[in-house]
Amino acid sequence: MPIEVAPEIRAALDAGRPVVALETTLVSHGLPWPHNLETALKMADAVRSEDAVPAVIGVLDGRLRVGLTQGEIARFAKEPGIAKCSTRDLPLAMAGGGNGATTVSATVEIAARVGIRWMATGGIGGVHRGIERSGDVSADLDAIRRSKVVVVCSGAKIILDLPRTVEWLETLGVPLLGWQTGQLPGFYTAETGLEVPEIADCRALQRWLAAWEELGFQSGVVLAAAPPAHLAMGGAEVAQLVAAALDEVPEAERSGKAATPALLAAMARLSMGRTVELNRELIVANAGLAARCARQCAKLREAA
Ligand code: PSU
Ligand code: MN
């Protein structure tokens, strides 16, 4: 069962054109219908408008596909019961002939395998609050360590234990960079108070990438950008919202695969849809940013 790469993506990779990988878990499990489909299509458009090629990844009818069509993305948005697949779940979805939405972990792993070096999402997974009891750490972190991909995101999801997530990335040796910010963004907010090295522009990013290349590192890197300022929440406001969501979702549902979707849904309800709008916009902005960085860094590399 080979990984099936769409001809457009294969051709772009062969020609050295920028390609940005996109996940399907945020479509099947991250956003409610119809926002999920609209956002997924806008993400792909944002990549194309920067003259790059979007590669939406997922398992459909048992086939691991890189480069899903609009109609196929709609299946991930509409069909109920699509499995949430981190890397280790991929063979199960493939062997069963079913459908599987890829998380950041599965998406970066497959992207790296086929030679895609950029990915965009909303917020990566990380160390969950209450790890002392649940032991829940997203498979995203170790998958990024294994996959040489630049993950453009709004940091890690605010429902997580962000200081511990930062520590965990450090332990794994995964670089964490701020895009035009010296503070780690926290998904719905720019204000977490956690310091990160700031990358000012594509020139600085390309210099960083060249050094990374020179050192022969095989890990991925997290490039975190603040959410769009006109919708972003203040630090105190988001802290209240998270506390309310944690109150609403029973402890038993706060670990395992259902945890992230349940907490995101609770925040959407409690904020009366504001977080959905914010989540949509930051995802689309990150897709555009990943494509722009991919294109400009490729140009700068050629010119060097
Ligand atoms: N970003 C979003 N919404 C999401 C996700 C990311 O804006 O729903 C998904 C990604 O697929 C990520 C997953 O890999 O949440 C993390 O889930 P968990 O905490 O179960 O590892
Ligand atoms: Mn988990």
Side-chain angles (χ1 to χ4, degrees):
M1 279 186 276
I3 303 173
E4 296 180 32
V5 181
E8 184 196 14
I9 291 161
R10 175 60 49 224
L13 288 170
D14 289 345
R17 284 187 57 208
V19 177
V20 178
L22 303 173
E23 56 156 308
T24 35
T25 286
L26 63 84
V27 183
S28 297
H29 303 283
L31 286 166
W33 170 266
H35 301 281
N36 55 356
L37 178 57
E38 283 169 25
T39 306
L41 299 180
K42 275 196 184 162
M43 256 183 127
D45 282 349
V47 171
R48 286 200 191 278
S49 69
E50 292 289 349
D51 212 16
V53 181
V56 182
I57 297 180
V59 178
L60 207 53
D61 305 319
R63 291 157 59 201
L64 178 48
R65 305 271 309 278
V66 176
L68 296 165
T69 65
Q70 291 196 359
E72 289 164 345
I73 296 168
R75 290 186 57 191
F76 282 89
K78 274 186 213 155
E79 288 182 17
I82 293 193
K84 175 175 164 184
C85 289
S86 67
T87 309
R88 67 159 195 182
D89 306 313
L90 288 172
L92 197 61
M94 293 164 78
N99 303 325
T102 53
T103 63
V104 170
S105 71
T107 306
V108 289
E109 194 109 32
I110 299 309
R113 211 66 65 80
V114 302
I116 300 174
R117 305 305 283 282
W118 299 81
M119 179 202 174
T121 187
I124 60 169
V127 178
H128 282 262
R129 293 173 197 235
I131 185 192
E132 314 80 43
R133 294 181 298 281
S134 67
D136 193 356
V137 178
S138 176
D140 290 357
L141 300 185
D142 200 58
I144 296 171
R145 180 189 62 76
R146 297 190 295 264
S147 313
K148 199 171 174 186
V149 172
V150 182
V151 181
V152 179
C153 58
S154 306
K157 281 187 278 280
I158 190 71
I159 53 171
L160 300 166
D161 185 329
L162 294 182
R164 281 198 164 114
T165 300
V166 169
E167 290 295 339
W168 204 284
L169 286 169
E170 182 181 349
T171 301
L172 292 175
V174 173
L176 175 56
L177 305 172
W179 174 257
Q180 297 175 344
T181 176
Q183 198 179 155
L184 178 70
F187 201 41
Y188 298 148
T189 182
E191 302 165 9
T192 62
L194 297 164
E195 273 181 43
V196 288
E198 176 168 355
I199 296 290
D201 53 24
C202 284
R203 241 170 235 290
L205 180 58
Q206 178 49 33
R207 279 200 301 274
W208 189 95
L209 291 169
W212 186 36
E213 200 62 51
E214 186 63 33
L215 292 166
F217 285 175
Q218 296 303 312
S219 77
V221 46
V222 177
L223 183 66
H230 65 286
L231 286 170
M233 295 183 173
E237 190 183 5
V238 88
Q240 266 182 353
L241 183 60
V242 171
L246 290 170
D247 256 2
E248 199 169 273
V249 178
E251 170 127 16
E253 287 165 32
R254 271 191 255 135
S255 66
K257 271 184 199 298
T260 296
L263 288 165
L264 293 181
M267 289 198 290
R269 271 195 311 276
L270 291 162
S271 70
M272 291 181 301
R274 176 165 171 208
T275 59
V276 174
E277 197 189 348
L278 179 50
N279 203 165
R280 287 178 56 140
E281 292 218 11
L282 67 85
I283 286 172
V284 175
N286 291 341
L289 176 62
R292 181 153 53 89
C293 289
R295 180 169 50 75
Q296 290 192 2
C297 285
K299 238 192 231 155
L300 290 163
R301 193 176 57 235
E302 275 162 32

